[in-house]
């Protein structure tokens, strides 16, 4: 037991508490395991993301306009 009356446990420290050097070494080991995409794959996926963003933006603008027209018809009786 330690001086607080609690039993001592032989629990290993998490890696993050072993020091900054060990942490940086672990980052290096993990980065070597990463499979990085090719330039062509990155370009293609960037195009997909931009296309989806444009599509969602167009849908939202259209829905906003349509709901605005509907609200005007309900509240004013005309567009």
């Amino acid at each position: 037991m330690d001086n607080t009356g609690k039993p001592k446990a032989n629990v290993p420290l998490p890696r993050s508490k072993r020091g900054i050097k060990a942490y940086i070494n672990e980052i290096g080991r993990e980065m070597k395991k990463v499979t990085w995409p090719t330039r062509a794959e990155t370009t293609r996926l960037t195009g997909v993301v931009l296309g989806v963003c444009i599509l969602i933006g167009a849908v939202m603008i259209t829905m906003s306009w349509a709901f605005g027209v509907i609200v005007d018809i309900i509240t004013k009786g005309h567009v």
Side-chain angles (χ1 to χ4, degrees):
M1 289 196 182
D2 61 7
N3 56 2
T4 62
K6 295 180 182 176
K8 273 190 174 178
N10 290 332
V11 178
L13 290 175
R15 290 185 184 195
S16 62
K17 295 191 180 194
R18 292 185 184 171
I20 190 74
K21 188 175 179 182
Y23 177 73
I24 291 173
N25 287 337
E26 186 175 343
I27 289 174
R29 282 193 304 271
E30 290 297 323
M31 293 299 282
K32 289 177 184 176
K33 296 177 187 177
V34 174
T35 303
W36 297 102
T38 63
R39 186 174 195 87
E41 187 177 14
T42 302
T43 303
R44 181 180 61 83
L45 292 175
T46 300
V48 169
V49 168
L50 291 176
V52 169
C53 289
I54 290 169
L55 178 66
I56 289 174
V59 168
M60 290 179 72
I61 289 170
T62 303
M63 289 177 68
S64 174
W65 173 80
F67 285 126
V69 169
I70 292 169
V71 168
D72 283 346
I73 291 171
I74 292 172
T75 58
K76 299 176 185 171
H78 60 81
V79 177

